[in-house]
Amino acid sequence: MSDKSEDREIRKIRLKRMIEELKKKEGRGTELISLYIPPNKRISDVIYYLRQEYSTAENIKSDQTRKHVQDALVKVMERLKYYQQAPENGLVIFCGAIPYGAPGNEKMEIYVIEPPEPLYVNLYRCDDHFHVEYLEELLKEKEVYGLVSIDVNEAAIGVLEGSRLKILSTHTSGIPGKHRAGGQSARRFERLREMAVHQYFDRVARHVNDAFLSEEIYPRLKGILIGGPGFTKNEFVEEADLDYRLREKIIGYVDTNYSGEEGLREMVDKAKDILKNVKYHSEKKHMDEFLVKLARQHDLILYGLNDILRHLYDGIIDRILILDDFNYYYIKLRCKICGNEEEVFTREEEKMKLEYRTPQCKKCGGDMEIIEEKHIIDYLDDASKIASFKIIIITSDTEHGKILKQFGGIAAILRYSLNY
Ligand SMILES: [Zn+2]
C-alpha cells in the first residue's frame, strides 16, 4: 500500500468509530440537525438556507424543541463562517441538544466531518437522531474485480463489486468448428481459422480495455481474473492486444466448465479464496514479516502496547501493525490544585469509569480533570508524524488478524536493533 492509501485507511477507521458514537445519540424531540454539504458548494448559499430554517422553526409548538432547534442552527451557522466554500470532499455537520439524565440536562454538541472521499449529498434534516447513513455508505466496500470468461465460441466481460456480479458485455466468436468443409485444403483452413481466432481475441481485448480502463472502474480495479474451459484463456492473454495496465492486474486463471455469462457466475464461486487473499494480501505480508523476525531476529520487533509506547519516539520503529478493533484511549489528566499532569492509556470500559469518577493527583491528592482524550490510532497517527513510522491497519477478522491478537493486538517492526 502507498502512504496515501494507508492514510485513507486511518481516516476511514476514525470515521467508522465516530459514526458508531453518533448512532447512539438521540434527541428528546425532533431537534437533531444533520447537514450534508457537497464538495465546493458556496457556504453563503447554505447559510441563507439555514436562516430560512431558523424562521420556519418559530412555528414549532414545544418551547423546548423550538429553542433546541434554533440554538443548534445558530451553532451550525457560526461554525460555517470559517469556510468560504465546502472542502473538496464536502462537509458534514451534526448538531443538537443531547440529553444527559433528567430534562433540562441537555448538552449542545456539534460534530464537523470532512469525508475521506468526495460525498455528493445535499441534505438538511431535523430529526430525533442523526442521519449518518450517507457517511456509512462511503465506508462500504467499493473495490471491484474484473472478470473475463472466454473460450473459442463465446466470451463475457463482467465486474464483481462486493459480492455483486455485473455483466458488462457478451461476445460470440463466429469461428467455424474444427472440421473443415469438403474440398478445402487443410492448411488453408487452419490459417483462416487462426486468423479468425486472432481477430476474435483482439475484438474481445478491445472491449476488455474499454470496460476496465473506464473512469468508473479503473481507479477501483483491484485485480482481473481470466476464466474459461481449457487453454483458450491462456492463449487469449498471451496473444490478444490487452492494455499493459490491465496485464499487470491479472491475478489468476480460473478453470470453469462453461464460458460466457454462465462462465462468469461459475468464476465468482470458484474464485472466492483467490479474491479474499488478494484483499488482505498486503496486510498479510506485514504480518508474515513480523513472524519471520519473531523467529530469527527477535531484536527487530516489539509487541504489546506498553513496549511499543516505551519506544514510540526513539526513532527505531519502522511500522506499527494494529488491529482495526483495538479499542484503547489516550487520556491526559491535570490536577486542579497543583497542575501536575498525568497520561494514561486505557481500554474503552476503563475510560468511562475515569469520566465518572474523579481521579486523585499522585502528588498532592487533589482532584484531576481530563484535559485531552484521543483514540489510540489517532494518538499513534500524531506520533507517526514526529517519529516517522507507518501505521498498518490489520483486519481482525482474518487468520493473520487472529495471530496479531495473540501478541496483544499491536506489534512493531523496527529499523534498528533494540540492542543497538
Ligand atoms: Zn496535584
Side-chain angles (χ1 to χ4, degrees):
M1 268 198 291
S2 70
D3 285 359
K4 208 173 169 189
S5 71
E6 276 158 14
D7 199 45
R8 212 184 51 159
E9 282 305 307
I10 290 173
R11 291 181 68 188
K12 278 188 159 179
I13 279 225
R14 194 177 288 156
L15 179 58
K16 199 168 157 190
R17 215 163 52 226
M18 187 156 205
I19 289 173
E20 289 311 313
E21 286 299 310
L22 289 168
K23 270 181 170 173
K24 289 180 203 157
K25 298 182 189 290
E26 276 175 40
R28 275 203 206 288
T30 308
E31 55 192 46
L32 302 188
I33 288 171
S34 307
L35 178 68
Y36 284 73
I37 308 172
N40 305 320
K41 186 173 170 126
R42 269 174 50 192
I43 292 301
S44 54
D45 294 345
V46 182
I47 290 183
Y48 179 77
Y49 177 85
L50 294 178
R51 281 212 190 98
Q52 286 177 315
E53 284 297 327
Y54 186 92
S55 314
T56 312
E58 293 290 352
N59 304 322
I60 297 173
K61 284 201 185 76
S62 151
D63 287 348
Q64 189 194 255
T65 306
R66 183 175 60 247
K67 184 178 185 310
H68 283 160
V69 170
Q70 291 188 325
D71 285 355
L73 280 165
V74 168
K75 202 164 178 105
V76 171
M77 287 190 277
E78 271 170 9
R79 189 55 75 93
L80 284 175
K81 282 181 187 147
Y82 294 109
Y83 297 88
Q84 286 268 324
Q85 57 175 32
E88 56 178 4
N89 288 343
L91 193 65
V92 185
I93 299 181
F94 300 105
C95 183
I98 306 297
Y100 289 92
N105 285 334
E106 293 82 21
K107 215 174 102 196
M108 188 58 74
E109 297 182 1
I110 185 162
Y111 301 88
V112 181
I113 298 167
E114 287 187 29
E117 282 166 35
L119 184 54
Y120 296 94
V121 177
N122 195 5
L123 173 107
Y124 168 85
R125 193 74 56 87
C126 192
D127 212 332
D128 61 355
H129 63 281
F130 291 128
H131 285 264
V132 294
E133 59 269 27
Y134 303 97
L135 275 176
E136 268 188 310
E137 202 54 39
L138 262 195
L139 296 178
K140 283 202 185 136
E141 208 49 69
K142 282 197 185 147
E143 290 158 352
V144 297
Y145 291 91
L147 306 178
V148 180
S149 165
I150 187 166
D151 72 357
V152 280
N153 298 313
E154 54 174 353
I157 303 167
V159 287
L160 187 66
E161 211 167 354
S163 56
R164 201 168 57 98
L165 172 66
K166 196 165 139 198
I167 292 157
L168 300 175
S169 61
T170 55
H171 312 272
T172 48
S173 73
I175 295 169
K178 287 210 166 162
H179 302 287
R180 64 195 159 102
Q184 218 175 1
S185 98
R187 197 181 290 165
R188 183 176 148 75
F189 175 79
E190 260 320 302
R191 221 186 57 229
L192 284 174
R193 193 169 182 280
E194 260 170 39
M195 268 174 62
V197 169
H198 219 93
Q199 280 168 3
Y200 162 61
F201 278 178
D202 281 342
R203 182 157 53 89
V204 174
R206 261 199 314 279
H207 285 284
V208 171
N209 291 345
D210 288 349
F212 294 167
L213 289 173
S214 71
E215 223 170 280
E216 197 215 333
I217 292 175
Y218 186 67
R220 301 185 286 145
L221 189 64
K222 261 277 175 169
I224 297 172
L225 287 170
I226 312 283
F231 287 107
T232 310
K233 56 182 175 297
N234 308 75
E235 287 164 8
F236 170 70
V237 172
E238 277 161 31
E239 293 168 19
D241 219 357
L242 276 175
D243 190 280
Y244 71 98
R245 287 164 289 180
L246 298 182
R247 282 183 183 278
E248 287 171 359
K249 300 232 177 206
I250 296 175
I251 51 174
Y253 294 88
V254 184
D255 280 313
T256 57
N257 296 316
Y258 298 95
S259 58
E261 269 191 57
E262 202 47 48
L264 286 183
R265 275 184 262 279
E266 218 184 323
M267 281 174 76
V268 174
D269 287 338
K270 292 195 167 167
K272 278 197 177 116
D273 286 342
I274 301 180
L275 297 178
K276 199 171 171 196
N277 286 335
V278 171
K279 186 168 173 209
Y280 298 118
H281 181 71
S282 64
E283 287 185 12
K284 190 170 179 301
K285 237 170 46 193
H286 293 294
M287 268 311 287
D288 286 348
E289 193 181 330
F290 169 77
L291 292 173
V292 167
K293 288 199 158 65
L294 177 76
R296 299 193 197 137
Q297 296 171 287
H298 203 274
D299 53 335
L300 282 177
I301 54 153
L302 288 169
Y303 54 84
L305 184 59
N306 288 336
D307 274 1
I308 287 169
L309 290 174
R310 195 170 306 131
H311 296 286
L312 199 60
Y313 291 102
D314 290 359
I316 58 168
I317 295 178
D318 182 63
R319 266 162 292 163
I320 289 182
L321 320 184
I322 182 166
L323 286 180
D324 57 0
D325 60 357
F326 194 86
N327 261 335
Y328 265 78
Y329 287 82
Y330 160 83
I331 290 172
K332 195 172 186 179
L333 300 153
R334 185 191 287 145
C335 173
K336 287 181 184 170
I337 313 283
C338 74
N340 170 37
E341 287 183 354
E342 282 174 31
E343 294 177 327
V344 285
F345 290 87
T346 153
R347 278 179 192 284
E348 192 166 18
E349 309 86 73
E350 293 295 316
K351 176 178 90 103
M352 305 283 268
K353 280 189 210 156
L354 268 182
E355 282 162 357
Y356 285 103
R357 151 180 68 84
T358 315
Q360 309 294 293
C361 172
K362 278 181 190 145
K363 282 194 176 156
C364 75
D367 286 353
M368 298 197 87
E369 58 181 341
I370 295 176
I371 54 167
E372 203 184 337
E373 181 182 316
K374 270 185 228 174
H375 190 273
I376 187 75
I377 291 180
D378 295 333
Y379 178 82
L380 293 175
D381 190 36
D382 290 346
S384 75
K385 278 161 194 140
I386 298 163
S388 70
F389 52 80
K390 285 184 192 163
I391 301 171
I392 314 290
I393 307 285
I394 304 286
T395 310
S396 61
D397 185 24
T398 55
E399 284 306 312
H400 54 270
K402 280 172 198 148
I403 295 172
L404 183 55
K405 196 162 218 155
Q406 291 169 15
F407 290 93
I410 184 167
I413 294 174
L414 308 183
R415 285 194 194 105
Y416 317 108
S417 163
L418 261 179
N419 311 321
Y420 171 69

